């Protein structure tokens, strides 16, 4: 996960550079950046939600299904004999956990579809005489906004 942050930052910087060099595509590229940011947020939230479940730390994951009583070891592996009371946080029920996982998973799937839709729009612009705009923007040269408008109009009509 730690290695992903610099990669996302590099991509974000590249998108910002594209936006600055080609204002005609700024709304589309900004939308893509927002969607990618939201997907990262949801992915991290899903990972954080699932981490204690992977370690079987929830009370409903214990062998007998009952929460630990005061004085029992919590099972965190620290070896100091502290009780579950040392970890007093309100944990989700199994149903709440499954609903939250489902909500985040569906959100990530819907977000991915939206990202692919935006990428299709970018490809359409590139395929309809806008390819020079995007490639020039990638190389730091200014683009011609009238070409981008023509490409968008052609794909919408």
């Amino acid at each position: 996960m730690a290695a992903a942050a610099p990669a996302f930052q590099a991509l974000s910087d590249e998108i910002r550079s594209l936006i600055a060099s080609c204002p005609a595509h700024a709304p589309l590229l900004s939308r893509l950046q927002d969607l990618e940011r939201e997907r990262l947020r949801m992915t991290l939230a899903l990972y954080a939600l699932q981490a204690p479940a992977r370690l079987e730390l929830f009370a409903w994951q214990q062998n007998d299904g009952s929460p630990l009583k005061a004085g029992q070891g919590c099972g965190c592996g620290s070896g100091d004999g502290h009780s579950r009371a040392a970890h007093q946080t309100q944990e989700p029920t199994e149903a709440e956990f499954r609903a939250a996982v489902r909500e985040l998973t569906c959100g990530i799937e819907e977000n991915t579809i939206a990202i692919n839709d935006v990428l299709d729009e970018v490809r359409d612009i590139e395929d309809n005489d806008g390819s020079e705009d995007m490639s020039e923007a990638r190389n730091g040269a200014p683009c011609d906004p009238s070409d981008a408008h023509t490409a968008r109009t052609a794909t919408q009509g």
Side-chain angles (χ1 to χ4, degrees), residues 45-59:
L46 181 61
Y47 181 81
L49 178 65
Q50 290 176 327
R54 280 191 292 279
L55 297 173
E56 298 183 355
L57 296 179
F58 292 127

Side-chain angles (χ1 to χ4, degrees), residues 25 28-29 32 117-127 130 134 138:
H25 298 298
L28 193 59
L29 295 172
L32 180 61
D117 289 346
V118 171
L119 291 174
D120 285 344
E121 287 183 55
V122 170
R123 287 183 198 104
D124 287 345
I125 290 170
E126 288 180 338
D127 290 344
M134 294 299 275
R138 285 186 198 109

Side-chain angles (χ1 to χ4, degrees), residues 44-104:
L44 291 174
L46 181 61
Y47 181 81
L49 178 65
Q50 290 176 327
R54 280 191 292 279
L55 297 173
E56 298 183 355
L57 296 179
F58 292 127
W60 47 266
Q61 292 178 297
Q62 304 306 314
N63 288 335
D64 64 1
S66 63
L68 296 171
K69 309 291 186 272
Q72 286 182 306
C74 74
C76 75
S78 71
D80 67 2
H82 66 266
S83 71
R84 185 174 174 82
H87 296 285
Q88 284 302 322
T89 59
Q90 187 173 358
E91 68 177 44
T93 64
E94 185 174 5
E96 291 169 334
F97 172 81
R98 292 187 186 285
V101 167
R102 186 173 37 256
E103 181 180 335
L104 284 167

Side-chain angles (χ1 to χ4, degrees), residues 123-131 147 150-152 154-155:
R123 287 183 198 104
D124 287 345
I125 290 170
E126 288 180 338
D127 290 344
N128 293 311
D129 297 327
S131 59
D147 288 342
T150 303
R152 270 197 308 277
T155 59

